[in-house]
Structures are given as structure tokens and as C-alpha cells.
Amino acid sequence: MTRIKFQQSLEDLKENLLVMAGLAEQAIQRAIEAYRTRDLSICDLVSRSEIAINRMERDVDQTALDLLAMEQPMATDLRFILSVIKINADLERVGDSAKSISDRVRQMEQLPSAELPVDIPRMATLASDMVRKSLQSFIDANAELARSVLTMDDAVDAMNRTAYKTLTKVMEEQPHLAPQALNALMISRNLERVADHATNIAEDVIFWVQGADVRHHKSVMAREKSQQAAPSSSSAD
Amino acid sequence: MTRIKFQQSLEDLKENLLVMAGLAEQAIQRAIEAYRTRDLSICDLVSRSEIAINRMERDVDQTALDLLAMEQPMATDLRFILSVIKINADLERVGDSAKSISDRVRQMEQLPSAELPVDIPRMATLASDMVRKSLQSFIDANAELARSVLTMDDAVDAMNRTAYKTLTKVMEEQPHLAPQALNALMISRNLERVADHATNIAEDVIFWVQGADVRHHKSVMAREKSQQAAPSSSSAD
């Protein structure tokens, strides 16, 4: 393969990953639309997306593997291809979260509707923004933008912790609403997970662009801080 | 690098991954021990393991990347190194699950103790067995053994679904136990996730040994079946 052809193959790989990203983003948006409207036909769309996403994941992986095997790329190209493989896995898991959310919506639909003290759409908007920004940072090879995604993760974590507290209170005080509250809690949990995947993607972009491994730096710093304070029990995992 | 030296480097990489695997397995075992005994000093050990696991993940990744960059391996060797990178990421997430479980134990310790209708230790044993078998299949390059892990996943999924149902009932009927039941449910959820990571590892082993991509085959088959039946709402994600 000539150098120009190889560069073209890398561009094609990037394009395929962006198609994959589009499917994953759409799946999350649809799942939240289903939550807002309780429209089960949208849940069916999400289930179908998941199948398409899984197929696309295999295609992207295979293409990346072929490029590694045939071209034996070095340095930045190698890091780029490895990043694609990792981002691909995270996008597939975003698709899984969308499917989990839509499964929850199906269950909620069978229960009496209830006003719950949790703003799922707002949390979903934030998590989706993170996915979109992390992908934009990938498209632009922009480590600065990728870094901004890492800081957004704290806000989603905080929202998830708040949801956990308020929904536990609902369960204690209005036990007949426990199933609904639990479904909402699981949806919140899935959105927090989507934000984690966006964070992973942003870290992979930084790894690719700068060659620096930023993983766990934040969590290590957080732990050092929390070890100075009281033992942390803030996780809502 | 000579061929012999390269083979030695691959062996070293495998050894490092097995150290990583040992840390992850131990973290899960400790987290469940903490659950059984409510001994918070074990929770501290789990937190410390997580830091070690995160550091080890970076080391293994860097070694794998260096081998890819310097040696430009082909065919089976390339697939092996890519499998190591993926298994490494799954093991890191097993460590995350152990940490989440121990965070839950910390919360439970602050609540009145309660008999809950869920057998967490049994579920943990099954999930740990899956991790151990998936790693054994990696050590022995045994695709047959890896396939047996895939079938075990259904049992853990079923246990998680049962836990979800029985614990929701506890919340409805004994609302003062809602916080405890919720913690138990989250622990069940984390064990189900550990089983998923074992499944991913088994799939990576099959990919490496046989060059076949088995991901999602099971879920596609399951979906085809469920589309013939009623719409599924069995997920407890």
C-alpha cells in the first residue's frame, strides 16, 4: 500500500468510527425520548439500533486489525488505530446503556405513572454533550477540548449521587412507588455510565494526540484528597 | 529484537497481565469478604488494590504498545497483543466493580443490619469462577474452555434478575429496609457486571486463538428468539 493509500485507509477508518458514533448518540437520544414520551415504538428503534451498533463494532475492529496487520504502522498512526479500537468499544457500551434505558422505560410503562424528584432529561443532555464533545475532540485531534470533557464528568457524577439520595427517600416514604423510583435510579445510573464512556473516549483522544496516558490521574488525585478527609462513601455505582 | 527475544517479551507481557488478573480477582474476593463480615478494614484493602490495578493497567498497556511499535508483529502475535490490551481493560473494570461493592459495604455498615432475600456470596462465587476460567482459557489458549464461560453468564444474569425482583418487593413491603435492599441490589448489579467482563475476556481469548469474532452472536440469537416471543423486559441493568 502506498503512503497516500494508507492515509486514505486511516481516513476511512475514522469515517466508519464516526458512523458508529452517530448510531450510539442517536440510540441514547431515542432512549431518552422514549423515557419522556413513554412511547414504546421508540424502544423498538433502540433495540434495532443496538443490533446495528454491534455489527458496526465488529466491522470497525476488523478494519483496524487489518490495517495493523498489513501496514504495521508506527508512532502516531499506531496510536491512532489503537485509539479507534478503544473508542469503538466505548461506543458499543453507550449503545448497551441506551438499550438498558429503553428496557427500563418498557417496565415503567407497565406501572402507574409517578412524579419523581429527578431530572433525567437534564442529566441525559449533559451526558450526550460529553459524548458529542469527546467525538468532536477526536475529529479535530483537539486534546484541549478532550480535557474539558474530563471536568464535565464530575457534574454528572454529582447528579447521579443526588438522584440516588432523593429516590431512596421516595422508596422509604412512598413504598408503593418503589418500582418506579428504582427504574428511574437505574436510568440515572446508565447515564452516569454514558458519561464515563465519554470520559474514556476523551482520554483516548489525549493519548493519541499527546502520547500521554491521563487515565486514573483524576481518580488518584481524588483519592488522595478523600484520604485526607473522612473515608468516602459517595459512590452511587 | 531477535525472534527468541520477541517471544520472551510476549511471555513477559502475558506474565504481567496475569499479575493484573491476580490483583483483580483478589479485589473481588476481598470485597465479598467485606460484605460477609462487614469488616471495613477489608474495604480499605480494596481501595488500595484499585490504585495498584490502575497503575498495572497503564504498565501493561505501555508494554503492549511498545511491542506493537517496535516489533510490528503479524497474525497470531498481533491478535495476541490486541487481546492483552482488551483483557487488560476488562480486568481494570473488574477492579472498579470491586471498589463499588466495597463502597456499598461501607454504606451498609452504617445502617441497621437486615436479613435480605439474596445470596450475594453464591453469586460472587459464580462470577469469580467465570473470571478464573476465562483467565485459565487465556493461559492455556483454550477456546473450548473460553466457550464454557459464555454459557455461565446466563446463570449470573438470571440470579441478578431474581435479586432485582425480590429486593424490589422488600422495598415495597418493608420500606424502612429500602436503603439496605438498594445497596444489596447494587452489589448484585456489580457482580453481574463482573460476569460480563469475564465473558468479554473469554471472547477475546476465542478471537486470539481462533481468529473468529464471537461477540454479540449470543445476544443476536437471544434477540431473534425474543422477537418471536413477547417483547423482552427482563434486563436488570
Side-chain angles (χ1 to χ4, degrees):
Chain A
M1 211 186 275
T2 63
R3 181 77 200 160
I4 289 171
K5 256 196 164 162
F6 176 58
Q7 285 302 335
Q8 185 55 50
S9 300
L10 290 180
E11 278 303 314
D12 292 347
L13 181 65
K14 189 171 177 173
E15 281 307 315
N16 280 345
L17 187 73
L18 291 177
V19 172
M20 172 84 181
L23 288 173
E25 261 190 71
Q26 188 185 47
I28 283 292
Q29 274 157 9
R30 281 177 173 166
I32 295 305
E33 184 67 13
Y35 173 85
R36 281 202 318 103
T37 61
R38 299 288 195 279
D39 180 346
L40 295 193
S41 69
I42 305 180
C43 295
D44 293 339
L45 287 180
V46 176
S47 297
R48 237 173 283 164
S49 303
E50 202 217 357
I51 297 173
I53 288 171
N54 289 348
R55 196 173 299 139
M56 193 78 201
E57 188 203 9
R58 284 199 299 274
D59 288 352
V60 169
D61 253 18
Q62 192 57 55
T63 310
L65 185 71
D66 290 347
L67 276 176
L68 282 179
M70 292 185 304
E71 297 303 319
Q72 309 182 354
M74 298 186 74
T76 311
D77 291 341
L78 174 62
R79 286 213 308 272
F80 171 76
I81 296 173
L82 290 178
S83 298
V84 167
I85 290 174
K86 291 190 172 195
I87 292 172
N88 193 32
D90 275 302
L91 290 171
E92 191 268 334
R93 282 164 184 167
V94 169
D96 283 350
S97 289
K99 174 68 167 53
S100 295
I101 293 172
S102 81
D103 287 345
R104 292 284 149 202
V105 172
R106 281 188 210 277
Q107 291 195 12
M108 289 181 110
E109 223 279 316
Q110 292 166 15
L111 299 164
S113 76
E115 276 297 318
L116 295 171
V118 57
D119 193 348
I120 293 289
R122 197 174 138 240
M123 202 172 163
T125 303
L126 199 54
S128 297
D129 277 357
M130 287 177 66
V131 174
R132 199 167 313 112
K133 271 197 183 165
S134 69
L135 291 165
Q136 194 60 46
S137 75
F138 171 73
I139 295 171
D140 302 339
N142 183 341
E144 196 68 34
L145 185 60
R147 272 182 217 286
S148 76
V149 174
L150 306 188
T151 60
M152 292 169 78
D153 194 34
D154 294 336
V156 178
D157 283 348
M159 288 169 94
N160 185 45
R161 278 197 298 275
T162 304
Y164 193 90
K165 273 182 207 150
T166 56
L167 291 169
T168 310
K169 215 164 156 226
V170 168
M171 290 177 208
E172 288 178 286
E173 292 172 1
Q174 303 172 72
H176 63 286
L177 294 183
Q180 289 95 323
L182 195 49
N183 280 313
L185 198 151
M186 290 294 172
I187 291 174
S188 164
R189 181 76 192 75
N190 271 292
L191 290 173
E192 187 261 341
R193 200 158 274 278
V194 168
D196 282 349
H197 291 304
T199 303
N200 291 346
I201 292 171
E203 286 171 349
D204 287 329
V205 170
I206 296 170
F207 162 78
W208 160 46
V209 175
Q210 305 202 324
D213 194 329
V214 295
R215 280 174 298 178
H216 310 306
H217 286 198
K218 205 182 67 169
S219 65
V220 168
M221 286 189 309
R223 179 137 29 256
E224 277 162 4
K225 240 188 283 172
S226 79
Q227 276 171 347
Q228 289 160 10
S232 152
S233 62
S234 58
S235 148
D237 203 33
Chain B
M1 212 186 276
T2 63
R3 182 76 200 161
I4 289 172
K5 256 196 162 165
F6 176 58
Q7 285 302 335
Q8 186 55 50
S9 301
L10 290 180
E11 278 303 313
D12 292 347
L13 182 65
K14 190 170 176 173
E15 281 308 314
N16 281 345
L17 188 74
L18 290 178
V19 172
M20 171 85 182
L23 289 172
E25 261 190 73
Q26 188 186 46
I28 283 292
Q29 274 157 11
R30 281 177 172 167
I32 295 304
E33 185 64 14
Y35 172 85
R36 281 202 319 104
T37 60
R38 298 288 194 278
D39 179 346
L40 295 193
S41 69
I42 305 179
C43 295
D44 294 338
L45 289 180
V46 176
S47 297
R48 238 173 283 164
S49 304
E50 202 217 357
I51 297 174
I53 288 172
N54 290 347
R55 196 173 299 139
M56 194 79 200
E57 188 203 9
R58 283 199 300 276
D59 289 351
V60 170
D61 254 18
Q62 192 56 54
T63 310
L65 185 70
D66 290 346
L67 276 175
L68 282 179
M70 293 184 304
E71 296 303 319
Q72 309 183 354
M74 297 187 76
T76 310
D77 291 341
L78 174 62
R79 285 212 308 271
F80 171 76
I81 296 173
L82 290 177
S83 298
V84 167
I85 290 174
K86 291 191 171 194
I87 293 172
N88 193 32
D90 274 302
L91 289 172
E92 191 269 333
R93 283 165 183 166
V94 170
D96 283 349
S97 289
K99 173 69 166 53
S100 296
I101 291 171
S102 81
D103 287 345
R104 292 285 149 200
V105 172
R106 280 187 211 277
Q107 292 196 11
M108 290 180 109
E109 224 280 318
Q110 294 167 14
L111 299 164
S113 76
E115 276 295 319
L116 296 171
V118 57
D119 193 348
I120 293 289
R122 198 174 139 240
M123 202 171 163
T125 303
L126 199 54
S128 297
D129 277 357
M130 287 177 65
V131 174
R132 201 167 312 113
K133 272 198 182 164
S134 69
L135 290 166
Q136 195 59 48
S137 75
F138 171 73
I139 295 170
D140 303 340
N142 184 341
E144 197 66 34
L145 185 60
R147 271 183 217 287
S148 77
V149 174
L150 305 188
T151 59
M152 292 168 79
D153 194 35
D154 294 337
V156 178
D157 283 348
M159 288 168 93
N160 185 46
R161 278 197 298 275
T162 303
Y164 193 90
K165 272 183 207 147
T166 56
L167 291 169
T168 310
K169 216 165 155 227
V170 168
M171 290 176 207
E172 289 178 287
E173 292 172 1
Q174 303 173 74
H176 63 287
L177 295 182
Q180 289 95 321
L182 196 49
N183 280 313
L185 198 150
M186 290 295 172
I187 291 174
S188 164
R189 179 76 193 76
N190 270 291
L191 290 173
E192 187 261 342
R193 199 157 275 277
V194 169
D196 282 348
H197 291 304
T199 304
N200 291 346
I201 293 171
E203 287 171 349
D204 287 329
V205 170
I206 297 171
F207 162 78
W208 160 46
V209 177
Q210 305 202 324
D213 193 331
V214 295
R215 279 174 297 180
H216 311 306
H217 286 198
K218 204 182 68 169
S219 64
V220 168
M221 285 188 311
R223 181 136 27 255
E224 277 162 4
K225 241 190 281 172
S226 81
Q227 276 171 349
Q228 289 159 13
S232 153
S233 62
S234 59
S235 147
D237 203 33

